[in-house]
Amino acid sequence: MGNTERALIQRLEERFRRMTVLLYDTSIRPQVLEEEVLPFIGEDVVFKDPWQQGEGRENYRRGAAGFHCMFSFDFDIFQLNVQLEEGHRGGRAIVDGVMNLRQFSWLFTYPLRTILVYDFSLVGTADGDLKPVVHVHEEMWSLGDMIAAVPGVGRFYKNVFRKGFSHGFLAASALCRRMRGASATRG
């Protein structure tokens, strides 16, 4: 990888870090999202998470503003990586972190491990630079992580249900292996 490519990746990582911080900190005003995030969102953008999927820049804008109005959360970034496609026409940014849901912060903060994926193309700007344009923004998180973070329920889920299910799975696996081994010796 040459110096030019490294510099481009570094600029893109900074852009996606800033975009993530703005999108996932509900103390940010919707006007800031309009000014600093929307210029990097494609008209054909698709947003998806485990519960919903929406298409189009206007729906994305309304959804982001709605999240900032209805919910309280921020995001701790643990890792961020940008990979470019061959020919540098686009790429993918992956962000690994925790979305801290603070809706009931007086009671508890709900940490939800989250992976964000931004698929983007690179377009030239008037000043000759390259700008990422996001076409897919996917938010991934685990239902198991959601259950584990619920006060009271989480301890039972982690210490009883998961361990019990694991023992049951291993017992079923042993039975299956034994049955297959018995049928293999007969065949």
Side-chain angles (χ1 to χ4, degrees):
M1 179 182 341
N3 289 338
T4 305
E5 185 175 356
R6 262 193 283 274
L8 174 59
I9 288 173
Q10 185 176 7
R11 284 195 322 271
L12 290 168
E13 286 175 347
E14 289 168 9
R15 166 55 47 207
F16 284 105
R17 181 175 302 279
R18 177 75 177 150
M19 188 179 299
T20 299
V21 165
L22 294 173
L23 284 167
Y24 289 88
D25 183 340
T26 54
S27 70
I28 304 296
R29 293 184 338 269
Q31 179 184 357
V32 175
L33 296 177
E34 293 269 344
E35 294 168 0
E36 292 193 47
V37 174
L38 240 39
F40 300 96
I41 302 300
E43 290 293 332
D44 62 343
V45 70
V46 173
F47 174 83
K48 50 186 163 181
D49 74 13
W51 288 350
Q52 64 179 324
Q53 179 170 322
E55 299 177 11
R57 190 168 190 250
E58 180 58 21
N59 286 337
Y60 187 94
R61 183 190 68 75
R62 288 192 324 231
F67 265 114
H68 282 242
C69 176
M70 293 186 291
F71 297 103
S72 178
F73 56 84
D74 58 33
F75 197 93
D76 296 325
I77 297 173
F78 297 148
Q79 301 179 72
L80 189 147
N81 181 267
V82 169
Q83 295 288 317
L84 293 175
E85 294 174 353
E86 201 170 311
H88 302 165
R89 290 184 300 277
R92 172 176 275 194
I94 300 176
V95 182
D96 174 17
V98 170
M99 190 182 334
N100 300 295
L101 305 170
R102 301 183 186 282
Q103 206 66 22
F104 304 106
S105 61
W106 52 270
L107 181 60
F108 71 100
T109 296
Y110 190 98
L112 183 59
R113 177 136 188 258
T114 304
I115 306 290
L116 305 172
V117 176
Y118 302 97
D119 289 325
F120 62 91
S121 61
L122 289 171
V123 295
T125 62
D127 62 1
D129 200 11
L130 290 173
K131 167 182 130 174
V133 176
V134 175
H135 301 286
V136 177
H137 173 183
E138 185 171 4
E139 187 178 287
M140 294 174 267
W141 31 265
S142 161
L143 183 58
D145 286 352
M146 285 188 92
I147 295 168
V150 173
V153 174
R155 183 172 289 144
F156 173 81
Y157 175 73
K158 290 187 278 190
N159 297 332
V160 177
F161 177 80
R162 281 179 134 175
K163 288 180 179 181
F165 191 91
S166 178
H167 290 295
F169 180 80
L170 291 174
S173 296
L175 179 62
C176 180
R177 286 192 324 268
R178 201 168 289 134
M179 290 173 60
R180 286 226 172 140
S183 66
T185 58
R186 283 183 280 181

